[in-house]
Amino acid sequence: MAIPHPIPDPLAQMIAERFKVLGEPMRIRILDHLRDGPQAVGVLADELGTSQQNVSKHLGLLHGAGLVHRERRGNAVLYEIADQGVFDMCEHVCGGLQRHLAELQSLVTGEVTR
Amino acid sequence: MAIPHPIPDPLAQMIAERFKVLGEPMRIRILDHLRDGPQAVGVLADELGTSQQNVSKHLGLLHGAGLVHRERRGNAVLYEIADQGVFDMCEHVCGGLQRHLAELQSLVTGEVTR
DNA sequence: CAACTTGACAACTACTTGGTTGATAAGTAC
DNA sequence: GTACTTATCAACCAAGTAGTTGTCAAGTTG
């Protein structure tokens, strides 16, 4: 999976689009809650402490990006993770965060890390 | 590298922050141009077809997130990738994009893929 | 010293978007 | 049928931000 270099403009656009979808705390939290399995909109809204409309809106975005699947179950609509790879991405980000924070810390403690 | 579940609110915030920094085409393109090695701000601006001020602003953000390093070299300032892991992330995103697009395509062609 | 180059910062505009509010559609229960 | 539940859609507002313009600081050259 090699990315062309220099990167074509439309590809940069698509990649950024994907990142942008994940660049919102509420959406990260929604995805995290879906780790336990499919959930209905209302349940998520309660658990996350926000409105049903808000969750629905975010889920619509996530669905548009192909990150979650939708399924009607009677009166409710169940959403579930469509691409488990999202969590790999989150872990990758956490790794980067740790490296960055360690670097900052070394500036304070006096170059202990690295 | 396991992410706690349920995810703490501040962590979701930090992860989203990271993704948000990458959620901008111009910044993706800047990072891509830095793959060839350290570059000066002005050179990047020329290559990317935007203003020096704009590139400087984006590089400031990337630097704040710890994604690039800054180094004064005479009169110029050289920026370079600080965390090669960014490109792994981009490839990961591309993989997700491919899966999503293949899924959409199967809807058109009539369930050939999957 | 002055003239020039290079990059960062501040202010501003225009656009995007997260969250709310209100209304509508789909489904169930009676 | 009506009443109730659940989710989506549309309109709106407020906050954030990408890009421009103008200015300033740091460094080099003559």
Side-chain angles (χ1 to χ4, degrees):
Chain A
M1 181 64 248
I3 296 180
H5 176 65
I7 198 171
D9 228 49
L11 181 56
Q13 196 100 22
M14 286 199 295
I15 294 177
E17 204 79 31
R18 234 342 153 62
F19 280 127
K20 198 177 289 185
V21 171
L22 296 173
E24 177 62 33
M26 184 63 79
R27 287 198 279 271
I28 295 292
R29 291 173 61 206
I30 289 176
L31 290 172
D32 177 62
H33 273 253
L34 289 178
R35 282 175 75 177
D36 298 327
Q39 281 290 346
V41 180
V43 178
L44 286 172
D46 284 346
E47 290 180 353
L48 295 168
T50 185
S51 70
Q52 187 183 62
Q53 287 94 326
N54 194 22
V55 172
S56 177
K57 201 168 164 180
H58 284 300
L59 282 170
L61 256 170
L62 291 169
H63 185 255
L67 294 174
V68 297
H69 277 145
R70 207 198 304 252
E71 186 195 350
R72 259 217 113 88
R73 183 64 61 90
N75 193 3
V77 175
L78 295 186
Y79 281 89
E80 69 173 326
I81 300 294
D83 189 344
Q84 291 289 335
V86 202
F87 299 117
D88 298 338
M89 295 252 306
C90 286
E91 291 186 9
H92 216 113
V93 166
C94 282
L97 280 173
Q98 286 186 343
R99 284 190 291 277
H100 183 208
L101 292 175
E103 193 177 342
L104 291 181
Q105 203 152 38
S106 76
L107 294 177
V108 179
T109 62
E111 216 64 46
V112 174
T113 318
R114 179 186 274 254
Chain B
M1 182 61 249
I3 296 179
H5 176 65
I7 198 170
D9 229 50
L11 181 56
Q13 196 100 24
M14 286 199 295
I15 293 177
E17 203 79 33
R18 227 0 146 54
F19 278 127
K20 197 178 290 185
V21 171
L22 296 174
E24 178 62 34
M26 184 62 79
R27 287 197 280 272
I28 296 293
R29 291 173 61 205
I30 289 175
L31 289 173
D32 177 62
H33 272 253
L34 289 179
R35 282 174 75 178
D36 298 326
Q39 281 290 346
V41 179
V43 178
L44 287 172
D46 285 345
E47 290 180 353
L48 295 168
T50 185
S51 69
Q52 171 263 318
Q53 287 95 326
N54 193 22
V55 172
S56 176
K57 202 167 162 181
H58 284 299
L59 281 171
L61 256 170
L62 291 169
H63 184 256
L67 294 175
V68 298
H69 277 145
R70 206 198 304 251
E71 186 194 350
R72 259 217 114 89
R73 181 66 58 93
N75 192 2
V77 175
L78 295 185
Y79 281 88
E80 69 173 327
I81 301 292
D83 189 344
Q84 291 289 336
V86 202
F87 299 118
D88 299 337
M89 295 250 306
C90 286
E91 292 186 8
H92 216 114
V93 166
C94 283
L97 280 173
Q98 286 186 344
R99 283 191 292 278
H100 182 207
L101 292 176
E103 195 177 342
L104 291 181
Q105 204 152 37
S106 75
L107 294 177
V108 179
T109 63
E111 215 64 46
V112 175
T113 319
R114 178 187 273 252

